[in-house]
Amino acid sequence: MMNDVINPRDLLAKLISYPTVSSDTNLPLVEWVEMFLSSYGIKSERILSPCGTKAHLYAQTGPEIDGGVMLSGHTDVVPVEGQAWSTDPWVLSERDGKLFGRGACDMKGFDALALMAMAQASTRPLKRPLQLALSYDEEVGCVAVVDLVETMLGALPRAREVIVGEPTMMRVVTGHKGGLGFHVHVRGFEVHSSLLPYGVSAIMQAARLIDWANQRNAENAARTPSELAAPFEPPFTTLHVGQIEGGTAHNITAKDCRFFIEFRFVPGESPDDWASAIEAKAADLSGEMQKIHPDTGIDMVRGFALPALTPEVNGAAETLARRLTGDNGQHVVSYGTEGSQFQTRGYSTVICGPGDIAQAHQPDEFLSLEQLAAGEAFMDRLLESLCA
């Protein structure tokens, strides 16, 4: 398709053909993107992961000046194992006005549109540059992108607007919750359950920490939401434990218990404050446990930390995206994106892309032809604005 008529559907089919599950390499896809951009005279750069099996990619076309627009997407997708797909997830297929394939919605549909826009921009008289940022490992915490953002700050003219193309049905999303997670290991002391007072059950102590989380949820739900929190659903910070494991037998106090706890916090609240709160509670419980046996306690390791995306006052990215979409509604989401990593480093950022987030991570994931066309029209208007 290189140097032929640029068709976003064909680009999407090519991107989907690379099974870039987060646990695997994305280098074949990155190599193909490099060749595609090069065929339009666009130079791109890689940033290799520490393990050397993955890479970010960034590129620019247009004048070498500040004030351009950056299109941001991720290349990784979630696994398909255990899901009942009716089609091959790595081959794009069409049915009933929908394009099926892993990543079609989240978010290779936007990636395809961004590549189309870059190729078309290379032949247009741009007054402002168009930049592309493709990351790896978004699906496992939105942390790896930090290296990409900070590298671009030193390597490219500074963009004025960043559009992160997560699926929003082409609505302009200006805020999302932040995320914070901890791997928790509760270390107990084994005795026969008939001698319970002389042992320390890791499971029962874990339950106390989890109940602390339940109490915080109840308090948060009862509190009047702040102005920043009110638009969210739910309009407060939530604490959640999705998996737990531990113990050896029903009549032995558990030696070990492990679980992962996550916080989804609203803009305006500090992840450091939440981290300090749970660490203080764990320390209190550890002190009580160690009065019974000194080798017990609670160990916590930070799993991920993602800032919240905060709606900007007179934000350049919001202004541009509303002009291009015609959407004047107020939209926020409770899931996290890489957008907040851009905003934290001074970029004006919004989330706006084709597809419905309800399709993300699902079997038979799809992007409707209607949404793909809406995204294409968005890119056409964007290029016109960059030439104005």
Side-chain angles (χ1 to χ4, degrees), residues 26 29-31 33-34 37-38 42-48 55-61 64 69-73 75 115 118 130-136 145-157 342 347:
N26 73 337
L29 181 149
V30 168
E31 181 179 0
V33 170
E34 289 172 332
L37 293 174
S38 179
I42 302 171
K43 182 182 178 182
S44 59
E45 298 289 344
R46 292 187 189 189
I47 305 172
L48 279 175
H56 304 301
L57 179 144
Y58 65 91
Q60 174 176 301
T61 186
E64 289 285 329
V69 175
M70 183 183 298
L71 301 175
S72 167
T75 62
L115 288 172
M118 289 289 290
L130 182 65
Q131 298 175 350
L132 175 69
L134 296 179
S135 68
Y136 65 83
V145 73
V146 171
D147 287 342
L148 174 59
V149 179
E150 294 186 346
T151 298
M152 288 187 298
L153 280 170
L156 293 179
F342 285 91
Y347 287 103

Side-chain angles (χ1 to χ4, degrees), residues 107 203 242 249 330 336 356:
M107 61 180 295
I203 290 176
Q330 299 298 319
D356 188 340

Side-chain angles (χ1 to χ4, degrees), residues 24-195:
D24 301 326
T25 183
N26 73 337
L27 293 182
L29 181 149
V30 168
E31 181 179 0
W32 181 85
V33 170
E34 289 172 332
M35 291 189 297
F36 175 81
L37 293 174
S38 179
S39 71
Y40 290 92
I42 302 171
K43 182 182 178 182
S44 59
E45 298 289 344
R46 292 187 189 189
I47 305 172
L48 279 175
S49 65
C51 65
T53 64
K54 303 175 185 179
H56 304 301
L57 179 144
Y58 65 91
Q60 174 176 301
T61 186
E64 289 285 329
I65 59 174
D66 290 345
V69 175
M70 183 183 298
L71 301 175
S72 167
H74 61 81
T75 62
D76 60 319
V77 297
V78 297
V80 298
E81 283 75 20
Q83 295 186 332
W85 282 73
S86 61
T87 60
D88 186 335
W90 310 116
V91 177
L92 188 71
S93 60
E94 180 181 346
R95 186 172 68 252
D96 301 326
K98 302 170 183 175
L99 299 172
F100 293 85
R102 173 55 86 220
C105 173
D106 183 20
M107 61 180 295
K108 290 180 176 179
F110 178 83
D111 294 345
L113 291 165
L115 288 172
M116 176 200 73
M118 289 289 290
Q120 292 178 339
S122 69
T123 66
R124 302 280 292 273
L126 301 188
K127 300 295 192 301
R128 296 197 289 145
L130 182 65
Q131 298 175 350
L132 175 69
L134 296 179
S135 68
Y136 65 83
D137 279 5
E138 187 274 347
E139 297 290 4
V140 290
C142 300
V143 176
V145 73
V146 171
D147 287 342
L148 174 59
V149 179
E150 294 186 346
T151 298
M152 288 187 298
L153 280 170
L156 293 179
R158 189 181 186 92
R160 189 170 72 189
E161 302 101 349
V162 174
I163 298 170
V164 180
E166 292 284 358
T168 67
M169 297 295 285
M170 298 308 301
R171 292 189 291 262
V172 180
V173 169
T174 59
H176 66 62
K177 290 187 178 182
L180 178 67
F182 287 93
H183 297 278
V184 183
H185 178 201
V186 184
R187 295 176 285 107
F189 177 64
E190 289 181 313
V191 299
H192 192 278
S193 60
S194 64
L195 301 174

